[in-house]
Amino acid sequence: MSIELRLSRANRIYHANEALEGKIIVKSPSSISHYGIRLSVSGSVNLQVRGGSAGVIESFYGVLRPVPILKKSIEVRPSGKIGSGTTEIPFSLILRQPGEENLERFYETFHGANINTQYLVAVDIMRGYLHKTLSATLEFIVESDKAELIERPVSPEMVLFYITQDTQRHPLLAELKSGGFRVTGKMSTQCSLSDPVTGELTVEASAVPICSIDIHLLRVESVLLGERIVTETSLIQTTQIADGDVCRNVTLSIYVILPRLLTCPTIFAGPFSIEYKVSIAISFHSELSKLHSISDPTAPRLWMAMETLPLELVRTR
């Protein structure tokens, strides 16, 4: 015997003012009696503070009280029987009724290191004390309502940057400091979640051969803990735009596709905030790099040059 939830949309993306629709699929070799079929939806922002981003006292708190967003349930069917074979039971539930007061605004689905915004739909088929309740849970994705989207277009302006041995705040190999290098480019610092992060980069000069050029997408999660704010920066993904010693004075395109569940619009809420950064990392050929394992690709290294830019993500019409 099995129970499954199947939503009407394959991508499972819904807006707060829409109806969550789908089917409850029950497969049973024989008919069963039940005391009601209940469907419930819930949404919350789950916060935590890890020991690596806070002190000993802060890490003692561990998981903080979640921020509730949504909690409601309906009875799909009253007490009765489900026949043998495969039975499909349709359901429909409006996430937010017009004029309905909610505990919080509907933040977009986001899976981070310390912040996790999640929406779940669950079904329970109650069978009494002698039988175990049949249950199934499925996550669905919430995006901003059309009324909350930014109407103005994303700014086409790009920020200019240049990377040399003099712009680095961490120690470099002697041959990098003496020989020198210069990399220039530009990149968009405001981007729609449905579009890639774009820009361009040019290696004008480098005395030491280049090994790789990578674009790191970073999230900056801040959680309010008591009277202080605990902030942690972590890596979302890395996109390599050059492999090997690139030709000088040739423009390289920057094109980074944003992962859906790991990104959401930039948020500044009361108990938490989510921001983003983009880091351009240039690795140079060095025998020293072969002796060290790369546990954190964003950590400063003697054979690396880096430049970090802020990135604002928005949801547009």
Side-chain angles (χ1 to χ4, degrees):
M1 183 183 300
S2 65
I3 179 173
E4 176 189 357
L5 278 169
R6 188 175 298 172
L7 297 178
S8 59
R9 300 177 184 177
N11 59 12
R12 294 181 290 156
I13 296 177
Y14 293 84
H15 302 278
N17 59 349
E18 294 179 332
L20 185 73
E21 298 179 336
K23 296 178 180 178
I24 303 167
I25 302 175
V26 182
K27 296 181 180 180
S28 175
S30 59
S31 63
I32 60 173
S33 299
H34 63 84
Y35 291 91
I37 301 176
R38 195 154 196 85
L39 186 87
S40 60
V41 293
S42 62
S44 62
V45 183
N46 301 305
L47 308 174
Q48 68 175 8
V49 175
R50 298 185 296 176
S53 59
V56 177
I57 297 178
E58 286 82 355
S59 62
F60 173 76
Y61 288 88
V63 178
L64 303 177
R65 180 176 297 179
V67 179
I69 299 175
L70 170 69
K71 190 174 183 63
K72 60 170 56 178
S73 62
I74 60 171
E75 187 178 57
V76 180
R77 280 191 181 180
S79 301
K81 284 189 175 183
I82 297 176
S84 60
T86 301
T87 303
E88 296 185 354
I89 305 170
F91 65 84
S92 178
L93 187 150
I94 297 178
L95 297 177
R96 181 172 61 190
Q97 297 280 0
E100 182 182 24
E101 293 185 2
N102 293 284
L103 300 176
E104 266 287 352
R105 59 173 286 195
F106 275 66
Y107 298 106
E108 287 203 12
T109 298
F110 172 75
H111 292 176
N114 291 334
I115 301 173
N116 187 45
T117 305
Q118 191 173 40
Y119 297 86
L120 300 172
V121 54
V123 60
D124 294 304
I125 300 179
M126 293 157 285
R127 304 188 60 205
Y129 296 106
L130 299 179
H131 299 279
K132 184 179 179 181
T133 299
L134 297 176
S135 302
T137 304
L138 181 67
E139 180 182 10
F140 62 97
I141 301 169
V142 168
E143 291 186 354
S144 301
D145 287 341
K146 294 182 179 180
E148 299 175 355
L149 300 182
I150 296 178
E151 295 185 4
R152 59 180 174 82
V154 175
S155 173
E157 296 182 0
M158 293 192 175
V159 173
L160 302 177
F161 65 86
Y162 68 96
I163 308 172
T164 69
Q165 66 277 9
D166 297 325
T167 64
Q168 303 306 296
R169 299 181 180 179
H170 65 278
L172 295 174
L173 294 172
E175 54 267 32
L176 285 174
K177 297 189 68 174
S178 60
F181 56 89
R182 181 177 176 85
V183 178
T184 60
K186 59 183 180 180
M187 183 180 293
S188 55
T189 55
Q190 186 186 64
C191 180
S192 171
L193 284 160
S194 57
D195 298 326
V197 180
T198 57
E200 59 184 40
L201 178 147
T202 303
V203 179
E204 296 182 358
S206 179
V208 178
I210 292 174
C211 177
S212 177
I213 301 178
D214 301 280
I215 306 297
H216 300 304
L217 178 62
L218 310 173
R219 60 190 164 217
V220 183
E221 298 170 283
S222 299
V223 176
L224 181 63
L225 183 62
E227 297 181 353
R228 62 168 296 193
I229 298 175
V230 179
T231 300
E232 180 178 2
T233 301
S234 56
L235 176 67
I236 297 178
Q237 71 175 22
T238 297
T239 304
Q240 186 182 49
I241 64 171
D243 183 17
D245 195 20
V246 300
C247 297
R248 307 301 184 253
N249 296 312
V250 173
T251 301
L252 303 176
S253 297
I254 297 175
Y255 193 92
V256 178
I257 298 176
L258 300 172
R260 173 57 193 93
L261 293 180
L262 303 181
T263 56
C264 69
T266 301
I267 298 174
F268 295 96
F272 69 95
S273 66
I274 303 173
E275 303 171 80
Y276 303 92
K277 292 181 180 180
V278 176
S279 177
I280 303 104
I282 304 169
S283 302
F284 298 90
H285 278 286
S286 171
E287 293 297 325
L288 188 61
S289 64
K290 301 177 183 179
L291 304 177
H292 297 268
S293 60
I294 303 178
S295 57
D296 182 5
T298 63
R301 306 285 182 175
L302 294 173
W303 56 89
M304 288 178 58
M306 306 178 71
E307 180 67 27
T308 302
L309 302 174
L311 175 65
E312 180 186 6
L313 298 183
V314 297
R315 178 77 63 187
T316 57
R317 290 183 182 272

